[in-house]
Amino acid sequence: LIHSNCTVFKYFSTFCFYSTIFWIEAHTQFYVTGVFGETQAEIEHHLEMGRKLLAAGQLAEALSHYHSAVEGDSKNYLTFYKRAAVFLAMGKSKSALPDLTKAIQLKPDFLAARLQRGNILLKQGSTQEAREDFEAVLQRSSDNEEAQNQLMKANELEELQEEAQAAYHQGDYSTTITVLERVIEISPWDPESRELRAECYIRMGDPQKAIQDLTPTTRLRNDNRAAFLKLGKLHYSLGDHHESLNNVRECLKLDQDDKECFSHYKQVKKLSKQLDSAEELIEEEAIEKYESVMQTEPNVPYYTNLAKERICFCLVKIKSATEAIDVCSEAHQRDPRNANVLRDRAEAYILNQDYEKAVEDYQEAREFDGDSNDIKEGLDRAQRLLKQSRKRDYYKILGVSRSANKQEITKAYRKLAQQWHPDNFQSEAEKKEAEKKFIDIASAKEVLTDPEMRQKFDAGEDPLDPESQQGGGGGQQGWPFHFNPFESGGSFHFKFQYN
């Protein structure tokens, strides 16, 4: 039984999964029998509460009721299927698989469960198992378009995996990366493909991209100490000792006796302590010391210029944008050809979200120090941020500064989400405007509270903009599984949690 809205799955759709459940409930009568002391009425109550909470988007509460229903009756295939729906909506595909398998065992001709399991297995890169599910569907429903399309994808994926491995063993890393782009597009939850592409980036001298590929594999593979260790070493090589320490600590959480992780931990911990001690003198304490320098020797311009330059730098480091701009401007007047001052003032303008002036300062700094990689990279980033600001600026949407912490971002999101929730408006025009603002607000919160996405956005790349993503397609952005609740077309009422 498959809901008509779900005939073809280009992407896995939470809405389709929910629709299938509600359709089955409307057309199927089933009876429950308690086997662990739960009465029939109690089990039915858990199922009804689970359904309502699922429709309202209260996933944790819905999951609790489905747990109780499964414990009360372990022979009901639909209960397992519903619980799988909640797991998937929570992004827990690994937990959903056993429930889908149980539903299929209880009802072998349950095609919707087979299709869902096949889709998950395909996204995990398990081509053989996914193929078996799609073929089983086609044996019972030979004209099922989704199963036909997904079976072709499974065959394509297997061929691409073999092609990527062959190119890698031949040392053709560029071709391997190109092939793996399509592989990861089909199977984004496959850690092996990302790990292979990361290795190619490392061999081609691009550790930043390797980090981007390795980071999600720590969640995709259980006990992935090797990925945490490799991430730790990559961050260490780039001078990011704090992030290196974070990753190697995650490795030791999985196994405190891991010799390689512990050895790296000792090295990073020692270096990090030394650097942090030195860094304390490049912020508030350093500012006081440089102010003392100007008082001690006010008659020699060199020392005053040096102190102003370093105070400018320190204020940028502590993200005091307005004061930094003032001090940096004074330092620039005293020493107009100082590229470091221009660079630091450009960073202060970025903190102040004045990207045009940041670009101007970086361009001027480049005239005085054309060989500086910091200035070249800074100019590139400022130009991307300027271009980005003309599209969608998530900081401005929430009305927070670029230095805002997660608590400040969440607070701003809650206030605006309550203000612009479409249920607060009556006319159709007002509702549409509210829906647009609500989606922008939710997208801003999603990006700015996710460290990886916020890092991309701060570097001038919008992680929700398909034009900024490799292989990205169109469609509504900012909602998981490309699902916009306001476009469902149904009569569902969603209760949003502002957390």
Side-chain angles (χ1 to χ4, degrees), residues 55-92:
Q58 295 176 253
L59 303 180
E61 293 85 349
L63 183 61
S64 177
H65 282 285
Y66 283 128
H67 283 328
S68 297
V70 167
E71 290 173 2
D73 179 13
S74 61
K75 302 297 182 184
N76 189 317
Y77 75 95
L78 191 54
T79 305
F80 284 99
Y81 185 72
K82 290 178 179 181
R83 190 167 71 174
V86 181
F87 278 131
L88 283 164
M90 297 173 77
K92 298 180 178 180

Side-chain angles (χ1 to χ4, degrees), residues 260-294:
E260 284 191 90
C261 286
F262 187 67
S263 175
H264 186 62
Y265 171 78
K266 288 194 298 182
Q267 172 68 13
V268 182
K269 181 70 174 175
K270 180 179 179 181
L271 179 66
S272 185
K273 187 176 181 179
Q274 293 171 336
L275 289 171
D276 287 343
S277 296
E279 192 69 19
E280 290 176 1
L281 298 178
I282 308 182
E283 294 181 2
E284 287 90 348
E285 292 181 14
I287 291 173
E288 293 180 6
K289 289 184 179 297
Y290 284 122
E291 287 175 344
S292 298
V293 167
M294 291 188 290

Side-chain angles (χ1 to χ4, degrees), residues 33-268:
T33 305
V35 294
F36 290 106
E38 294 271 6
T39 65
Q40 178 177 339
E42 287 172 333
I43 295 170
E44 289 178 341
H45 170 73
H46 286 307
L47 291 170
E48 177 62 16
M49 287 301 299
R51 185 191 69 79
K52 288 181 178 179
L53 290 165
L54 178 63
Q58 295 176 253
L59 303 180
E61 293 85 349
L63 183 61
S64 177
H65 282 285
Y66 283 128
H67 283 328
S68 297
V70 167
E71 290 173 2
D73 179 13
S74 61
K75 302 297 182 184
N76 189 317
Y77 75 95
L78 191 54
T79 305
F80 284 99
Y81 185 72
K82 290 178 179 181
R83 190 167 71 174
V86 181
F87 278 131
L88 283 164
M90 297 173 77
K92 298 180 178 180
S93 59
K94 291 179 182 177
S95 299
L97 273 179
D99 276 358
L100 290 172
T101 298
K102 185 66 176 178
I104 293 167
Q105 290 172 349
L106 292 169
K107 187 174 176 58
D109 62 346
F110 191 11
L111 301 190
R114 283 198 178 275
L115 283 170
Q116 297 295 356
R117 187 174 71 173
N119 287 334
I120 294 172
L121 291 168
L122 184 62
K123 287 181 179 291
Q124 291 180 342
S126 302
T127 53
Q128 181 58 39
E129 294 172 85
R131 185 186 294 110
E132 290 172 2
D133 271 340
F134 298 137
E135 288 175 345
V137 172
L138 291 171
Q139 284 177 0
R140 294 180 180 273
S141 177
S142 59
D143 60 346
N144 187 290
E145 286 187 36
E146 182 192 348
Q148 291 171 353
N149 292 334
Q150 295 299 81
L151 182 59
M152 286 191 292
K153 275 190 179 181
N155 293 331
E156 178 190 0
L157 178 60
E158 194 166 60
E159 292 176 3
L160 289 169
Q161 288 171 335
E162 293 175 358
E163 184 180 346
Q165 286 290 342
Y168 176 77
H169 289 302
Q170 292 172 3
D172 189 351
Y173 305 123
S174 179
T175 297
T176 307
I177 289 171
T178 301
V179 175
L180 286 174
E181 285 178 3
R182 175 58 178 161
V183 169
I184 293 170
E185 182 182 339
I186 299 173
S187 55
W189 301 339
D190 175 21
E192 290 185 8
S193 299
R194 292 182 181 275
E195 287 167 350
L196 182 60
R197 189 167 69 174
E199 188 61 34
C200 290
Y201 283 131
I202 291 170
R203 292 177 180 270
M204 293 179 69
D206 195 341
Q208 291 284 10
K209 287 186 177 178
I211 288 171
Q212 290 177 11
D213 264 339
L214 280 174
T215 300
T217 69
T218 60
R219 300 185 297 271
L220 294 171
R221 193 193 296 281
N222 293 330
D223 191 16
N224 201 349
R225 283 174 287 157
F228 278 122
L229 178 59
K230 186 170 283 189
L231 281 167
K233 290 183 175 180
L234 285 170
H235 282 295
Y236 185 81
S237 70
L238 292 171
D240 191 349
H241 57 98
H242 286 133
E243 196 59 37
S244 177
L245 197 58
N246 289 339
N247 277 280
V248 77
R249 279 174 174 159
E250 290 298 324
C251 177
L252 290 172
K253 284 181 185 178
L254 295 170
D255 182 359
Q256 62 182 3
D257 297 322
D258 189 294
K259 292 182 180 180
E260 284 191 90
C261 286
F262 187 67
S263 175
H264 186 62
Y265 171 78
K266 288 194 298 182
Q267 172 68 13
V268 182

